[in-house]
Amino acid sequence: MIARIIFPIILAIVLPEIYFDIYYLRRRYKYGFWRRLLWLLPGILMLVYSIALATIKNFVPDDLKLLNMYLALVGLFVGPKAVFALFSFLGHLWCKITHSRHNWGNLIGVFASLFGVYVFVYGYTAGFHKLDVNHVNLEFADLPDAFDGYRIVHFSDAHVGTFTGKRKKILLRAVDSINAQHADAIVFTGDIQNIQPSELYPLQGILSSLKAKDGVYSILGNHDYSTYIKADSTVKVSNEQEIISLERQFGWDLLLNEHRSIHRGKDSLVIAGEENGGVAPHPDKADLRKTLSTVSDGAFVVMLQHDPSAWRQSILPESTAQLTLSGHTHGGQLSIFGFRPTMLMMGEDKGLYEQSGRYLYVNAGLGGVVPFRFGMPSEITVITLHKKK
């Protein structure tokens, strides 16, 4: 994970140190070499820590404490220092342009840095514990009569490897909340693990307790394949088979480019599960034709697809699925004044979208590799289907 963003991290560590050294340590306070070196030492150590994490073979360390400690140092020290340096530097430029003596960038930088620390601390504590149960009512003209009022509980992106120690209670509360909805069906749209199946074993009892009248249906997300570990093909194939086996041991009906029909008398509803359909570097194992093989043209289809980008790319143009349920984005895990970073990367990143009477719902997920959420609580969605009058 750190390897993917190592260059911006290095810049965030090095550039502020250079700025402080030039404009403050040498010029204003006239620090000697050894005092300047002492000031620079924490930055040097963070640089070493960053490079060390970037060189690990897997996406994240096997011991997530190493990653969480690193992120705490970034959020509490590196980030605020970089923010202050940026505003201070801009203020310095403004002073030169306007021939002003007072650098207001310093004051703005202090407040911006403090706000950043607040976002980080809240997001890592209370923010990650928050859970929203959102209710969505959808009307369809072609919904079979017997399924009027049918309730589906949708959750996604559990990343259960993050729910260790005291965080185990967060996952238990989420599962209890899902069961409390007394749904007709429960669907999970992928990313049950961070990088490997061993994360699931301590939580088998909790995950196996999910129950619904018509069952629990699931699909795989990009993290459920072997994309995020560096190992030979034998290990990767073994891991993928293990995750499939575990989900089925939970009593979940894992759909691998296949579908199931639920019957109410003469009426039926199809729950189809397509494998991950993302773009590189995420695995693309989706096969829509296989997923919907033998499904009649007039069937009402609820499509499960981890990556919401597949909705416009293939599901809308190549199928008649009336409702698609996705996850993957986590809603960015951050929302400030309505802005989410995932809004810059994809058109449909959170919530409900509609086109010509067909719907996509993107769930914000339960967890994440990084246990942080600010303005974007974990989510359980209760979707009720209605016959359009």
Side-chain angles (χ1 to χ4, degrees), residues 4-285:
R4 295 186 177 186
I5 54 173
I6 186 62
F7 291 112
I9 286 176
I10 288 175
L11 291 177
I13 295 172
V14 173
L15 292 182
E17 298 294 359
I18 294 174
Y19 173 74
F20 288 129
D21 187 60
I22 293 174
Y23 285 97
Y24 290 94
L25 303 184
R26 275 191 271 179
R27 183 177 300 178
R28 179 172 296 184
Y29 301 111
K30 297 181 180 179
Y31 279 4
F33 173 78
W34 292 108
R35 292 182 71 184
R36 283 164 45 211
L37 181 61
L38 188 63
W39 170 273
L40 295 172
L41 185 59
I44 295 171
L45 293 176
M46 276 302 299
L47 193 60
V48 173
Y49 198 170
S50 302
I51 294 171
L53 281 181
T55 57
I56 64 172
K57 63 177 183 177
N58 293 335
F59 182 67
V60 293
D62 292 335
D63 186 354
L64 285 180
K65 291 178 182 177
L66 294 173
L67 177 63
N68 290 331
M69 185 187 304
Y70 174 80
L71 294 174
L73 292 171
V74 170
L76 295 175
F77 300 104
V78 175
K81 184 185 287 188
V83 169
F84 177 83
L86 174 62
F87 281 103
S88 179
F89 175 69
L90 293 175
H92 179 78
L93 290 180
W94 180 254
C95 288
K96 282 198 168 186
I97 294 170
T98 62
H99 304 290
S100 172
R101 291 184 178 181
H102 192 80
N103 186 347
W104 288 101
N106 289 339
L107 184 61
I108 297 171
V110 168
F111 282 104
S113 297
L114 290 175
F115 179 71
V117 171
Y118 165 72
V119 168
F120 176 82
V121 172
Y122 181 87
Y124 254 83
T125 54
F128 192 69
H129 286 74
K130 289 191 70 176
L131 175 68
D132 282 354
V133 179
N134 295 322
H135 292 262
V136 178
N137 292 278
L138 300 176
E139 291 188 341
F140 300 91
D142 55 349
L143 180 71
D145 292 339
F147 289 90
D148 188 10
Y150 195 81
R151 286 161 54 85
I152 300 171
V153 172
H154 174 207
F155 74 110
S156 191
D157 299 88
H159 291 276
V160 298
T162 304
F163 294 103
T164 57
K166 294 181 179 179
R167 295 197 193 101
K168 187 176 181 179
K169 295 185 296 185
I170 303 174
L171 182 63
L172 179 59
R173 181 194 57 177
V175 168
D176 287 343
S177 298
I178 292 170
N179 283 331
Q181 307 308 315
H182 303 292
D184 293 292
I186 296 171
V187 299
F188 173 71
T189 50
D191 276 5
I192 194 169
Q193 64 181 17
N194 285 332
I195 59 171
Q196 53 194 358
S198 59
E199 302 164 21
L200 277 63
Y201 287 101
L203 302 163
Q204 275 183 296
I206 295 175
L207 298 169
S208 299
S209 66
L210 285 169
K211 303 295 178 186
K213 183 189 302 182
D214 292 323
V216 180
Y217 300 88
S218 65
I219 56 173
L220 299 178
N222 53 294
H223 278 263
D224 300 324
Y225 300 92
S226 297
T227 309
Y228 298 99
I229 63 167
K230 290 186 178 179
D232 61 49
S233 58
T234 304
V235 173
K236 290 188 173 187
V237 170
S238 176
N239 276 5
E240 291 180 18
Q241 290 302 313
E242 187 176 359
I243 199 75
I244 291 169
S245 175
L246 280 168
E247 288 201 30
R248 288 174 174 163
Q249 287 177 41
F250 299 158
W252 299 6
D253 193 346
L254 177 62
L255 303 174
L256 302 172
N257 289 325
E258 51 193 334
H259 65 270
R260 302 286 184 265
S261 294
I262 297 171
H263 296 274
R264 294 283 190 274
K266 294 182 179 180
D267 290 336
S268 64
L269 175 147
V270 172
I271 294 182
E274 188 180 35
E275 291 199 59
N276 192 74
V279 296
H282 305 308
D284 182 5
K285 298 199 174 187

Side-chain angles (χ1 to χ4, degrees), residues 286-303:
D287 188 334
L288 191 60
R289 181 174 296 180
K290 180 182 176 184
T291 302
L292 296 176
S293 64
T294 73
V295 174
S296 61
D297 292 338
F300 189 91
V301 177
V302 177
M303 177 69 69

